Amino acid sequence: MERRALLGLAVVATAAASTSARASSGGAAPSADTYFRLPVITASIIQASGRRGVLTIETGVDVPDAALRTRAQQSAPRLRAAYNTAAQRFANGLRPGAVPNIDQLSAELQAATNATLGRAGARVLLGTVMAA
């Protein structure tokens, strides 16, 4: 089999898998109209060697409601401050050399979002979470 045919088959299989995963997730995929990115969040951690390290988190917010989206965009500095506080609190509870629990981190960031905006309706989306 040629490499091109194999590569094409892999691309089709990946696209089919992502489509079925998106359909089974129950939530609508964020669109460019409802989503906005925030700057990378950093927190200091202790590595397994005892040296200081950095936990970096890429975040974005998906807000389908137009009024709440306007409020969220206007509250972006407050969201960043709440995320930095939640990330540092999460990092302080992380054991040296342990892998970050992304589910716990996303729950804490979601709670910070709801508290900052005053109500539910905005969804935090995580990009890369890296502990180095």
Side-chain angles (χ1 to χ4, degrees), residues 20-117:
S20 65
R22 189 179 306 130
S24 67
S25 68
S31 71
D33 298 331
T34 62
Y35 171 80
F36 65 95
R37 278 188 68 186
L38 293 170
V40 174
I41 300 166
T42 59
S44 61
I45 59 172
I46 303 294
Q47 296 177 340
S49 64
R51 294 182 176 185
R52 290 217 176 262
V54 177
L55 176 70
T56 59
I57 308 162
E58 291 180 352
T59 60
V61 181
D62 180 40
V63 191
D65 181 21
L68 187 59
R69 183 173 47 254
T70 301
R71 179 177 171 88
Q73 289 172 336
Q74 291 173 346
S75 300
R78 293 182 63 220
L79 282 172
R80 286 195 310 264
Y83 289 174
N84 282 328
T85 302
Q88 190 59 56
R89 191 176 316 133
F90 174 80
N92 288 341
L94 197 61
R95 291 183 321 212
V99 176
N101 183 349
I102 304 303
D103 293 329
Q104 179 186 359
L105 176 62
S106 65
E108 290 182 20
L109 292 175
Q110 185 64 52
T113 302
N114 294 344
T116 302
L117 297 179

